Amino acid sequence: MRKAWLLVVVGLVSILVLAGCGTKSKEDVTASLSAKVEEMKGYESNAKMTLQTGAEPQVYEVQIGHNKPNYYKVNLKNAEKDQSQIIIRNDEGVFVLTPALNKSFRFHSEWPQNSSQAYLFESLVNDIKNDPEATFTATEEHYVFETKTNYQNNKLLPTQEITLSKKDLSPVSVKVMDPDKKPLVLVEFSDFKFDASFDADAFDVKKNMTGARASLELPASGPVTEESDEFSAMTPLDTPAGTDLKEETVVETANGKRVVMTYEGTKTFTLIQEKARNSEVPTSQLVNGNPADLGFTVGAMTENSLTWTYQGVDFTLASKDLSQEEMLMVARSVQGAAIK
């Protein structure tokens, strides 16, 4: 009997020791993530991104490809609003493609290294590594970190919750939260493949533009179809305190209607809207700035301006008074707010 009890005790002790050995600390997991980034050749994944920054949630399909060291492709699709954009980084620079218009912006930019990117694995790992105050918990299947974000011009989304699979450290979900810990951006990964292989031209701008237009059943080049000049102008819901709309002017140009809104007060700025035009041949505009993630679309930001296209309308926000963070705030609030 005594021998039997001894065997039970030894067995329990062994289980506890093994369980203790299997428990990883925050430092252990962070070190493993760093090693993963160093060892991997790249990855590809699919995700669903839900934005809660507007009047209604907007859902995007996101396809991500990364080939080390510096090749990236992010395809953002919103089927409901017919929004589709592709961000590409290759040896020639960083490009933001809008296939429906046959147009792209080209940047000399450090994207994606210059700020947090909720759908890029190595960006999430860097945010974990660079935040000494990050919190860490482990569940049966996941590791969960809460860290500070690194959005250079966005204090409205200061923290994020990153959930990783215990099995292979791949990302499961990311919640980007406001100061009240309310999730405004949710990225849910449906699959993730490390060390993916890519075709030689997978990150070629011309190939991606042609392929995307084909999927939209648009010609790669040729005559531009007739388009209606009609569109509903929008007004920003968020402006700096003490700044109000002073004047709204409608100008008739050779390309149709242009709406110019002038805001004055503590901060002055101008918002210009006009119908976006399809280009007969692929065109690329060089921008001395950086891609600007507005959530519902990706625009181009310089020191004193922000341009973007949304629902077939080109927007230009120009100001010498607004900070880049304020320009982003105003631009994000323009979506869905029709002028009465």
Side-chain angles (χ1 to χ4, degrees):
M1 187 72 176
R2 183 178 178 183
K3 184 177 181 180
W5 274 107
L6 183 60
L7 289 173
V8 171
V9 171
V10 170
L12 289 172
V13 170
S14 299
I15 291 171
L16 291 173
V17 169
L18 289 171
C21 291
T23 301
K24 290 190 176 182
S25 67
K26 170 185 169 183
E27 290 71 23
D28 293 332
V29 177
T30 302
S32 296
L33 287 168
S34 296
K36 192 79 171 181
V37 171
E38 289 296 321
E39 295 166 1
M40 71 179 186
K41 298 177 182 178
Y43 56 83
E44 62 180 352
S45 65
N46 290 283
K48 180 177 76 172
M49 181 170 66
T50 304
L51 306 175
Q52 300 282 358
T53 54
E56 296 180 357
Q58 296 191 55
V59 180
Y60 288 79
E61 297 175 9
V62 189
Q63 297 174 325
I64 306 108
H66 170 43
N67 198 20
K68 289 181 72 174
N70 294 316
Y71 279 26
Y72 291 89
K73 180 169 68 173
V74 179
N75 194 342
L76 299 154
K77 296 180 182 179
N78 181 330
E80 183 179 344
K81 295 185 180 295
D82 196 26
Q83 287 282 116
S84 176
Q85 285 184 302
I86 304 172
I87 310 172
I88 292 176
R89 177 170 179 169
N90 57 29
D91 291 336
E92 298 175 350
V94 177
F95 300 82
V96 176
L97 284 60
T98 304
L101 300 177
N102 216 12
K103 295 178 181 179
S104 66
F105 289 121
R106 180 183 178 185
F107 304 85
H108 294 304
S109 169
E110 294 301 314
W111 183 93
Q113 284 82 12
N114 53 2
S115 67
S116 294
Q117 308 292 336
Y119 37 69
L120 297 183
F121 175 70
E122 66 281 15
S123 176
L124 299 173
V125 173
N126 284 335
D127 288 344
I128 291 171
K129 290 167 54 180
N130 294 333
D131 184 3
E133 299 177 357
T135 63
F136 170 78
T137 56
T139 67
E140 185 176 346
E141 297 182 351
H142 301 132
Y143 297 122
V144 183
F145 287 87
E146 186 174 312
T147 79
K148 297 175 184 175
T149 61
N150 182 35
Y151 295 111
Q152 294 178 337
N153 304 302
N154 188 9
K155 296 177 182 177
L156 300 178
L157 298 171
T159 58
Q160 61 189 340
E161 180 185 279
I162 303 167
T163 300
L164 307 166
S165 169
K166 275 187 173 181
K167 183 179 179 181
D168 61 0
L169 298 179
S170 63
V172 175
S173 67
V174 180
K175 297 177 183 176
V176 188
M177 299 174 284
D178 68 10
D180 296 323
K181 296 297 179 70
K182 177 184 176 183
L184 296 185
V185 180
L186 171 62
V187 180
E188 299 168 287
F189 294 87
S190 55
D191 60 75
F192 198 99
K193 181 181 179 182
F194 286 109
D195 298 324
S197 59
F198 299 93
D199 294 337
D201 55 358
F203 301 89
D204 180 78
V205 171
K206 183 177 179 180
K207 180 193 175 183
N208 280 278
M209 179 69 86
T210 302
R213 286 182 65 81
S215 67
L216 294 171
E217 299 183 351
L218 297 169
S221 61
V224 178
T225 58
E226 291 295 324
E227 302 174 16
S228 170
D229 291 332
E230 294 303 314
F231 68 93
S232 297
M234 300 180 184
T235 186
L237 297 177
D238 292 331
T239 58
T243 298
D244 298 296
L245 177 63
K246 179 183 180 182
E247 184 179 16
E248 176 187 336
T249 305
V250 178
V251 180
E252 292 296 334
T253 72
N255 293 324
K257 181 176 71 171
R258 176 182 297 160
V259 179
V260 181
M261 299 178 185
T262 304
Y263 284 77
E264 294 188 356
T266 56
K267 300 285 182 77
T268 63
F269 65 88
T270 301
L271 178 64
I272 303 170
Q273 306 173 54
E274 55 191 318
K275 186 73 176 179
R277 300 288 169 180
N278 292 328
S279 177
E280 184 173 347
V281 295
T283 61
S284 182
Q285 178 182 345
L286 180 62
V287 178
N288 184 24
N290 289 290
D293 186 356
L294 303 181
F296 55 88
T297 191
V298 179
M301 175 175 280
T302 67
E303 184 177 356
N304 299 122
S305 70
L306 177 58
T307 59
W308 70 98
T309 301
Y310 180 64
Q311 293 186 328
V313 178
D314 285 336
F315 295 85
T316 300
L317 176 63
S319 175
K320 293 184 178 180
D321 293 339
L322 295 179
S323 66
Q324 290 191 336
E325 181 181 344
E326 288 170 330
M327 282 197 287
L328 287 169
M329 176 193 74
V330 172
R332 288 190 178 110
S333 74
V334 170
Q335 50 148 335
I339 296 176
K340 296 180 180 179

